[in-house]
Amino acid sequence: HGKLGTAERNLVEEEAKAFMIAEMLKEERRLAKLSQEELAKKTGTKKSLIARLERGKNDLSMSMINLLFEASFGKAFNL
């Protein structure tokens, strides 16, 4: 997927990270038996943000993702 440090490689790595975050969020939400709406209310966000994150459209900083996991599931986010 390209040499380290190239734009192509960086893009692939960002997409992979977004996919992992999306899958972890969906799994934790499922385990907590929360709907996207319930998770949004619990974290003070909107359902559209939760849906976007679960589709791998990650536009939040890692610190914000960690806060979301801590507020939602009582644990830190770890890749």
Side-chain angles (χ1 to χ4, degrees):
H1 299 289
K3 291 183 180 183
L4 284 175
T6 64
E8 179 185 3
R9 177 68 175 256
N10 291 341
L11 179 61
V12 169
E13 289 179 0
E14 285 299 313
E15 289 173 348
K17 187 188 305 181
F19 175 79
M20 288 189 299
I21 291 168
E23 292 303 307
M24 292 174 75
L25 179 60
K26 284 188 276 191
E27 180 65 10
E28 290 295 332
R29 183 174 60 78
R30 186 188 66 76
L31 290 172
K33 296 180 174 32
L34 295 171
S35 67
Q36 288 180 342
E37 183 83 30
E38 291 167 327
L39 180 56
K41 285 181 183 175
K42 187 172 184 175
T43 58
T45 61
K46 294 184 177 188
K47 180 181 179 245
S48 60
L49 173 64
I50 303 301
R52 194 167 60 245
L53 289 171
E54 289 187 359
R55 286 192 314 271
K57 306 299 182 197
N58 179 16
D59 57 356
L60 293 180
S61 68
M62 290 307 292
S63 62
M64 288 301 296
I65 290 170
N66 197 43
L67 286 173
L68 178 73
F69 268 72
E70 287 179 355
S72 305
F73 313 117
K75 58 179 149 182
F77 171 78
N78 292 305
L79 272 179

